[in-house]
Amino acid sequence: MFTMMLASLFSLALLSAHVALVIGVAAPLLTFRVTDPITGGSLECDRCPPGTFMRASCTATQKTRCATCPPGSFTELWNYIGKCLRCGVCGHNEVEKTVCTADRNCQCQCKQGYHNKYDMCVRHSECPSGQQPLTKGTPDEDTVCQICPDGSYSDTTSALQNCTLHRSCNAPGLKLVLKGSIWHDSVCTSCEELKSRDGGDYLKEIIPAFFVHHKMTLRRLRQVVHKLPSEDGKKQAGASGLNLSELHARINTWVASASANQIRQLPEILAKTGANGASERLKSKLQRIDSNLKQLCALGNEVDVLSF
Ligand SMILES: *[C@@H]1O[C@H](CO)[C@@H](O)[C@H](O)[C@H]1NC(C)=O
Ligand SMILES: *[C@@H]1O[C@H](CO)[C@@H](O)[C@H](O)[C@H]1NC(C)=O
């Protein structure tokens, strides 16, 4: 019973393989029919092979005459056309993968940094900060991103760049102020440095990365820039015409020269623009820094605090 079933399964498989062969692989048509201009009867002529075209149709006494496609033209099929087809031209953001030959049109693919999507070449996606490419984009596939592996971070948007390992605060004399996350590096200090620095000074180190990671609308970012306090107490000059990279540059310039106290005002400024989530996250980073700092270099306490 079992062998019978196997046998019938086997013949079924053979049968379907046979059917697939018959249906799937259509043999090329090697001939075509013309009417004999003299007798009015039907003639069966040979077609011309790929890479050639038909110079002259066959007659009752002569075979079809074929000629090679001239440069810049091609035929891919057995044919009886009087002229080869013009070679294609690669499209926008494409490059030639293989050149046009007599029997094959040129093959195009997306140029470097682009991939095929809906028959167009579009730029490879970039991985946001906190992520890195798992597989880089190819002419046919987009970038695939993954979250930074444990112990590493990325503070840029990039299609190619990998996450970087957090710096280690294990060197002699160094203390961990803020443990690194996927979007910012670890912040270290020494007890000596700590004497002259405030929590705001340490928060400063991660603020450029903070604005890369916590994406905000252009409108909100402009409001933030507008509200940044300056040394003379005046508000920032108009930020209305600035684009994203200019706004980030403005913020980074401000951060570089801001006092610790001004830095401490950032969560409040964010809240005022309605960026409550971002405000809370920055505030919590600052609280973590402050609470770590309190315990770091206390008299006789040289043990690293654990960050949470
Ligand atoms: C990123 O990491 C992968 C896997 O370790 C490596 O093959 C690739 O070269 C790295 N890319 C860069 C830009 O360093
Ligand atoms: C932003 O504006 C500057 C100057 O107008 C320009 O050079 C830059 O390419 C712009 N950046 C983007 C991302 O549009």
Side-chain angles (χ1 to χ4, degrees):
M1 176 66 185
F2 184 63
T3 39
M4 255 182 66
M5 260 180 63
L6 262 187
S8 60
L9 265 180
F10 185 62
S11 54
L12 194 68
L14 266 185
L15 183 69
S16 46
H18 182 66
V19 169
L21 259 179
V22 170
I23 297 174
V25 188
L29 274 176
L30 298 181
T31 61
F32 67 104
R33 290 202 159 273
V34 287
T35 308
D36 188 329
I38 298 163
T39 66
S42 177
L43 282 175
E44 184 164 15
C45 302
D46 291 333
R47 290 182 183 229
C48 292
T52 68
F53 67 102
M54 187 173 76
R55 262 267 150 75
S57 174
C58 78
T59 64
T61 56
Q62 217 171 32
K63 296 192 130 236
T64 306
R65 283 195 295 127
C66 303
T68 305
C69 292
S73 67
F74 73 98
T75 52
E76 288 184 351
L77 304 174
W78 286 83
N79 70 85
Y80 52 101
I81 53 178
K83 203 175 163 198
C84 297
L85 306 173
R86 193 197 288 267
C87 292
V89 178
C90 290
H92 192 49
N93 293 327
E94 282 185 336
V95 290
E96 243 177 34
K97 186 163 71 170
T98 57
V99 297
C100 187
T101 56
D103 62 357
R104 191 143 191 249
N105 197 2
C106 62
Q107 305 294 303
C108 302
Q109 68 178 17
C110 294
K111 69 180 187 184
Q112 180 112 39
Y114 289 75
H115 72 288
N116 192 308
K117 187 176 185 184
Y118 310 131
D119 242 9
M120 284 190 309
C121 290
V122 297
R123 241 179 221 292
H124 287 144
S125 303
E126 300 189 307
C127 300
S129 87
Q131 297 185 25
Q132 69 179 6
L134 174 62
T135 56
K136 286 179 191 161
T138 67
D140 294 312
E141 300 287 336
D142 197 5
T143 320
V144 178
C145 303
Q146 64 173 170
I147 302 280
C148 286
D150 260 1
S152 68
Y153 75 103
S154 160
D155 59 4
T156 56
T157 301
S158 166
L160 299 175
Q161 202 166 313
N162 289 331
C163 302
T164 311
L165 287 179
H166 293 144
R167 67 185 287 211
S168 158
C169 305
N170 287 336
L174 280 188
K175 303 278 175 193
L176 182 68
V177 175
L178 184 66
K179 190 168 178 264
S181 76
I182 57 168
W183 57 268
H184 70 78
D185 200 359
S186 294
V187 180
C188 311
T189 190
S190 64
C191 292
E192 188 52 39
E193 187 183 56
L194 190 56
K195 285 178 193 158
S196 59
R197 290 184 88 185
D198 175 83
D201 292 314
Y202 294 103
L203 185 66
K204 208 178 203 184
E205 295 184 23
I206 69 163
I207 286 177
F210 177 85
F211 280 99
V212 172
H213 192 68
H214 297 85
K215 294 199 168 54
M216 291 174 202
T217 62
L218 216 49
R219 201 177 110 94
R220 177 159 289 158
L221 216 47
R222 285 179 183 143
Q223 289 174 350
V224 171
V225 167
H226 181 69
K227 290 186 194 310
L228 295 176
S230 63
E231 280 156 63
D232 50 15
K234 286 199 193 117
K235 290 282 160 62
Q236 291 277 318
S240 53
L242 302 184
N243 65 27
L244 204 60
S245 49
E246 290 168 317
L247 287 166
H248 279 143
R250 258 304 177 95
I251 291 175
N252 293 348
T253 307
W254 176 82
V255 167
S257 64
S259 68
N261 259 330
Q262 288 174 331
I263 295 284
R264 284 183 173 277
Q265 293 169 35
L266 255 186
E268 199 183 321
I269 290 171
L270 288 173
K272 274 190 197 150
T273 67
N276 294 315
S279 166
E280 285 307 315
R281 261 163 271 164
L282 197 58
K283 205 186 291 177
S284 111
K285 290 284 179 192
L286 183 56
Q287 282 165 356
R288 225 171 290 179
I289 290 171
D290 283 340
S291 100
N292 281 351
L293 286 182
K294 261 188 223 147
Q295 309 164 56
L296 269 189
C297 302
L299 215 57
N301 177 8
E302 290 293 295
V303 185
D304 278 350
V305 291
L306 282 176
S307 172
F308 37 88

